[in-house]
Amino acid sequence: MGDQKESLRKITTTLALKNDEITNFICCLKQSLENLEGNSSRVQEDLETEFSSLHSVLDELKDSMVTRIKQERACRTYELQSQLSACSKALESSEELLKVANQTLCSPEADDFTQAAKDIKDSVTMAPAFRLSLKAKASDSMSHMMVDFTQEREMLQEIKFLPVPATPEILVSECQVCDNTVTVQWALPEPDTKIDHYDLEHRRTNHEGPPRAREDYPWMVVEGIRETEYTLTGLRFYTRYMTFRVKACNKAVAGEFSELVTLETHAFLFKLDASSSHQNLKVEDLSVEWDSCAGKVVQDIRKDKNRTNQSPMHSPARTAMNSPKRVPSARVGRDRFTAESYTVLGDTFIDAGQQYWEVRFDKESKAFAVGLALRNLGRFDQLGKSNASWCIHLNNWLHQSLTAKHNNKARTLDCPIPDRIGVYCNYEEGALSFYNARTKTLMHTFRTKFTQPVIPAFSVWNGSFSVQTGLQVPSAVQSGQRKNSGTSSSNASLT
């Protein structure tokens, strides 16, 4: 009995689920019927509007052509009637002259005949009949106004409903990724004059393969593209790849999306590691600001921590200084840099390849430095004052100067001080170059041999700066590096 009830319960559950499924399907069918009515009415109205527009064009064309025929007829009628009137008058004059001549011939008076003959001769010489052109000034033919709409009629007979556009294909070999721009090209299987525009969609991803059920980034849409090519500019590459798809649209409907194409968008991406910063630096993601009061606050918090025997891992001071988006380093429990080393490091090491990033700094800062450091840079070391770091240093303390520093050696740079510096590192070649980020003018190059990973390093005193990452090595920088790779560097004394 119990087994039968359980079996019946399963059957009723299955039936209930099936009923729900059928009910939902019925609702979908009803909604489809409503949509069908609305869509049918809409396309019928559109069709009537298009035919009315076509009729209007034909009526306007007919009126225009009829007007031209009437104008041509009126012009020729005037010419022919004018010529007819002139000929009629000439004929009338000639007939009168002929009558006078005949009468003169019949006159018996010899004296009168001689004078009359002379008068008739003069009159004939000046008669309009001998000055008229007997060729019609206008033709009576109107054949040049005839029309033949055979071709147009065939075209009208070919009018059909707009087809769904074909699916484009993205031409991977023609796509380009450089200078933080992406150019995408595509083509249709066959030319289609009915295409009105294309819609391009792109999405960032860290996965090269097919899309996953849940992606971290949404699709971004570019609509109304008139050509079969589009360039996305001003990008920041925060992921390893970008995925693209495109569809063709006519004035009625859009076609299917193309196959997904994934392009690699290599760029050096890092953030600032708040756990490595000096206590007087206020680090927020990619921005740093000098805070002269921060050190005292941290010291007070530490005193409270020691009194309450809190664990260093859960120190309020450490929690306050860590960026919320960064994972604390293994060296939790003490400041990375102290004393006069107002330094903060990036959170990503460089151990291969060519990398590039930019830093915008306050030119009124008392001191600012940007460069690279080894992982063993001491917590008291200032950038450029040991063999573990290379940097460009701005000094505004007594007089403004810009110097290249390494291993406590400095070289003054004779170049304008930019408001944004680009940093280029070629790990295998041992090259560290600094550029005016706006003009891509080379400021200085260190040439060395990196024997261990290096990391972006920054220092600021009484000032601020912000970093831009996710940048590709600019083409102008790559070109300049190729030209200078075979030449000796005047900066070798600092390496």
Side-chain angles (χ1 to χ4, degrees):
M1 185 70 175
D3 293 342
Q4 291 179 342
K5 286 186 176 181
E6 183 63 27
S7 177
L8 186 58
R9 288 193 187 95
K10 292 181 178 180
I11 291 173
T12 55
T13 301
T14 302
L15 286 174
L17 293 174
K18 178 57 69 175
N19 289 344
D20 289 341
E21 184 179 350
I22 294 174
T23 300
N24 291 334
F25 183 63
I26 289 174
C27 292
C28 292
L29 289 176
K30 290 181 178 179
Q31 185 63 48
S32 296
L33 286 171
E34 292 180 6
N35 294 341
L36 178 61
E37 288 296 322
N39 292 334
S40 299
S41 298
R42 178 178 59 81
V43 296
Q44 183 174 344
E45 291 176 0
D46 291 344
L47 181 65
E48 291 175 353
T49 300
E50 289 294 331
F51 269 99
S52 296
S53 176
L54 186 59
H55 289 155
S56 299
V57 171
L58 290 174
D59 289 339
E60 291 176 3
L61 183 60
K62 175 184 175 182
D63 292 341
S64 174
M65 297 180 76
V66 168
T67 300
R68 287 181 59 190
I69 291 175
K70 290 180 178 180
Q71 291 174 344
E72 183 73 11
R73 181 180 63 188
C75 181
R76 294 192 181 194
T77 299
Y78 176 78
E79 292 287 343
L80 292 175
Q81 285 183 343
S82 297
Q83 192 173 18
L84 176 61
S85 176
C87 288
S88 297
K89 291 180 180 180
L91 179 61
E92 182 179 352
S93 174
S94 181
E95 287 178 343
E96 291 179 358
L97 186 61
L98 179 61
K99 182 179 179 181
V100 172
N102 288 330
Q103 291 176 352
T104 303
L105 287 174
C106 296
S107 175
E109 300 290 338
D111 296 335
D112 293 340
F113 177 82
T114 301
Q115 184 61 39
K118 182 178 182 303
D119 293 338
I120 291 172
K121 181 179 179 182
D122 293 340
S123 298
V124 169
T125 303
M126 300 299 295
F130 293 94
R131 292 185 283 112
L132 283 175
S133 172
L134 298 182
K135 181 180 179 181
K137 291 184 177 180
S139 171
D140 59 354
S141 173
M142 293 291 286
S143 58
H144 67 291
M145 289 290 187
M146 297 183 66
V147 295
D148 181 6
F149 288 153
T150 301
Q151 183 177 358
E152 288 77 6
R153 190 178 298 108
E154 291 176 353
M155 291 176 61
L156 289 174
Q157 291 173 346
E158 290 296 321
I159 292 179
K160 299 177 182 178
F161 293 106
L162 282 172
V164 176
T167 302
E169 177 186 1
I170 296 180
L171 308 175
V172 180
S173 61
E174 301 298 326
C175 297
Q176 294 183 351
V177 181
C178 65
D179 292 331
N180 283 87
T181 67
V182 178
T183 299
V184 184
Q185 289 191 21
W186 59 87
L188 290 170
E190 294 181 358
D192 186 351
T193 58
K194 300 293 185 181
I195 297 300
D196 182 69
H197 66 273
Y198 298 89
D199 291 343
L200 176 68
E201 295 190 357
H202 59 93
R203 178 167 63 187
R204 301 177 187 273
T205 180
N206 284 308
H207 305 278
E208 187 177 10
R212 301 175 301 168
R214 296 183 62 184
E215 287 285 352
D216 297 330
Y217 298 89
W219 285 106
M220 306 301 292
V221 183
V222 181
E223 298 178 322
I225 303 172
R226 301 294 179 180
E227 305 295 333
T228 57
E229 175 182 326
Y230 191 79
T231 300
L232 296 167
T233 61
L235 300 174
R236 292 289 181 267
F237 294 145
Y238 301 123
T239 57
R240 294 179 58 194
Y241 304 97
M242 288 184 69
T243 301
F244 296 87
R245 64 184 185 183
V246 65
K247 63 181 178 181
C249 308
N250 56 34
K251 292 186 177 181
V253 67
E256 297 292 330
F257 274 110
S258 64
E259 293 291 332
L260 295 177
V261 167
T262 300
L263 302 178
E264 185 176 6
T265 54
H266 172 74
F268 184 44
L269 183 66
F270 69 90
K271 293 186 178 180
L272 298 177
D273 184 6
S275 64
S276 72
S277 67
H278 190 282
Q279 62 190 19
N280 284 107
L281 300 184
K282 182 181 178 182
V283 180
E284 294 184 0
D285 201 12
L286 289 173
S287 299
V288 174
E289 185 176 0
W290 165 267
D291 186 355
S292 60
C293 299
K296 184 178 184 303
V297 173
V298 172
Q299 290 174 3
D300 292 342
I301 293 176
R302 283 179 175 166
K303 291 178 181 179
D304 293 338
K305 176 198 70 175
N306 293 333
R307 284 196 296 268
T308 55
N309 295 322
Q310 289 184 343
S311 167
M313 184 65 74
H314 301 91
S315 166
R318 178 56 54 190
T319 303
M321 294 179 63
N322 282 333
S323 169
K325 296 183 179 180
R326 308 254 50 89
V327 179
S329 68
R331 305 184 69 171
V332 175
R334 77 171 197 183
D335 291 322
R336 180 64 178 87
F337 293 97
T338 189
E340 295 184 356
S341 180
Y342 304 112
T343 304
V344 60
L345 302 177
D347 66 353
T348 304
F349 285 101
I350 300 173
D351 58 4
Q354 302 178 56
Q355 316 298 345
Y356 179 84
W357 62 99
E358 294 182 356
V359 56
R360 185 192 299 271
F361 59 94
D362 181 5
K363 296 175 69 172
E364 300 301 321
S365 301
K366 291 298 183 183
F368 170 76
V370 56
L372 287 178
L374 302 178
R375 66 173 73 210
N376 61 357
L377 181 67
R379 63 194 299 251
F380 295 95
D381 291 344
Q382 299 180 37
L383 293 184
K385 290 195 173 183
S386 71
N387 62 358
S389 63
W390 302 257
C391 74
I392 277 186
H393 182 267
L394 170 67
N395 183 10
N396 273 326
W397 180 236
L398 296 177
H399 64 278
Q400 191 175 69
S401 64
L402 189 65
T403 56
K405 291 186 174 182
H406 171 65
N407 201 19
N408 208 26
K409 296 179 181 180
R411 168 172 291 167
T412 301
L413 303 181
D414 184 16
C415 61
I417 298 176
D419 61 351
R420 198 167 80 233
I421 293 177
V423 185
Y424 167 82
C425 174
N426 187 326
Y427 188 86
E428 285 78 11
E429 296 293 331
L432 172 62
S433 297
F434 299 88
Y435 288 84
N436 182 321
R438 294 189 183 278
T439 64
K440 300 301 182 290
T441 303
L442 178 64
M443 300 169 61
H444 185 78
T445 295
F446 291 102
R447 298 212 178 266
T448 184
K449 182 177 182 180
F450 298 123
T451 58
Q452 57 179 292
V454 291
I455 192 167
F458 310 86
S459 176
V460 67
W461 176 47
N462 281 341
S464 61
F465 68 88
S466 61
V467 183
Q468 282 189 323
T469 68
L471 302 176
Q472 293 185 305
V473 180
S475 300
V477 172
Q478 289 183 330
S479 176
Q481 288 292 322
R482 284 193 294 268
K483 291 179 180 178
N484 296 330
S485 61
T487 62
S488 59
S489 173
S490 61
N491 310 312
S493 61
L494 292 178
T495 60

